[in-house]
Amino acid sequence: MALPVALAMSGCNGGDDGAAGGSGDAGDPLRTYVAHIRSNGIASVDRGNEALQPSFQIINEAEGGMAFDYLGNLYQADLRGGNGGAILVMNQAASRSFGNDLGSLNPAFDREIFGFSTTLDEPRSVALAHRAGLIFVTDSGDSSVKVFGSSGGGDAPPLFTSMTAAAPWDLAYDEEVDRLYVTLADGTIALFDGFVANRPAGETGSITPSADGLSPSGVDLRGIALMPHLAGTGLVVSDFGLESNGVD
């Protein structure tokens, strides 16, 4: 299918496995948030400026992709070291600072979606449907996108699940047209039109990135972001490349 989509490709850091994600909150466009595993093995979210210089740190022990809602709440995928995945929800994370009790996951006012009924295996990233009140989660463990209510918690089953043709990594949702874009490990981007309306929606098309318009250039796509100011629908996509040659 033909779509008005502009693609920009970028490489991943050679030491990144694609699990780390970043997002800015709606309250301050000059803030950046980067999730990663530090040299001491502890996962954290670093908040910094537009130059990626960190100023605060949230210790939440999750390293997956994340998204903020309009209230500054953080939703993040957590692999749990291969012991079944989870989704962390940190209340008002955008206003927290490192060095006090509010800098870490606190069960008194934070929550997680975790347990057998969630069917989460290897959750990689999340996206939000703000108006519908939904969390979309890519799960590379069973090649699916799982959907939960944004107010849910505990051992909650998905509201619905859509399968992908290959292991998914990241996702971006265009709420205005109800279209979901999902990067896949086979170098393509899966499209789901009417994703919320048709629950569960099947794949309606795909994008194969190409540098010359003829031959595929994607190898193992990871991060994706919508760029609404570009003509049509703009997408920025990162490619992990071939691990054997060390080139992204």
Side-chain angles (χ1 to χ4, degrees):
M1 63 184 295
L3 290 172
V5 174
L7 275 176
M9 298 288 291
S10 66
C12 302
N13 182 298
D16 182 8
D17 68 355
S23 175
D25 66 278
D28 187 347
L30 298 181
R31 287 182 177 176
T32 57
Y33 293 85
V34 178
H36 65 125
I37 301 177
R38 307 186 66 80
S39 59
N40 58 7
I42 297 177
S44 67
V45 175
D46 290 350
R47 186 177 75 199
N49 57 22
E50 67 275 17
L52 299 179
Q53 296 171 326
S55 57
F56 293 99
Q57 183 183 82
I58 300 172
I59 305 296
N60 61 356
E61 301 188 13
E63 73 277 10
M66 58 188 174
F68 280 92
D69 65 18
Y70 296 135
L71 299 177
N73 301 315
L74 172 67
Y75 302 77
Q76 187 178 12
D78 182 6
L79 288 171
R80 289 291 165 94
N83 296 317
I87 303 300
L88 303 184
V89 184
M90 297 188 69
N91 184 48
Q92 298 288 303
S95 62
R96 296 188 185 189
S97 61
F98 178 70
N100 57 42
D101 290 340
L102 299 184
S104 302
L105 192 70
N106 190 322
F109 44 84
D110 297 323
R111 53 192 163 89
E112 61 182 11
I113 299 173
F114 174 69
F116 178 81
S117 298
T118 69
T119 70
L120 290 169
D121 186 10
E122 296 180 10
R124 297 292 179 177
S125 193
V126 300
L128 301 177
H130 298 277
R131 289 195 290 266
L134 299 174
I135 310 170
F136 306 148
V137 186
T138 49
D139 193 331
S140 61
D142 61 0
S143 297
S144 70
V145 177
K146 297 181 171 74
V147 181
F148 300 88
S150 59
S151 61
D155 190 13
L159 298 177
F160 60 95
T161 299
S162 292
M163 306 307 296
T164 57
W169 285 91
D170 200 8
L171 67 175
Y173 180 59
D174 188 339
E175 195 157 16
E176 296 305 317
V177 297
D178 193 15
R179 175 179 291 153
L180 184 69
Y181 301 85
V182 183
T183 55
L184 303 181
D186 65 358
T188 65
I189 303 169
L191 306 180
F192 295 84
D193 286 309
F195 187 74
V196 172
N198 298 326
R199 59 182 76 179
E203 185 176 327
T204 56
S206 66
I207 300 173
T208 301
S210 174
D212 57 10
L214 298 174
S215 41
S217 59
V219 176
D220 186 354
L221 302 185
R222 299 297 176 96
I224 186 171
L226 288 173
M227 304 293 287
H229 63 280
L230 296 178
T233 299
L235 297 174
V236 176
V237 183
S238 64
D239 191 344
F240 188 67
L242 292 173
E243 192 165 357
S244 59
N245 63 17
V247 177
D248 301 340

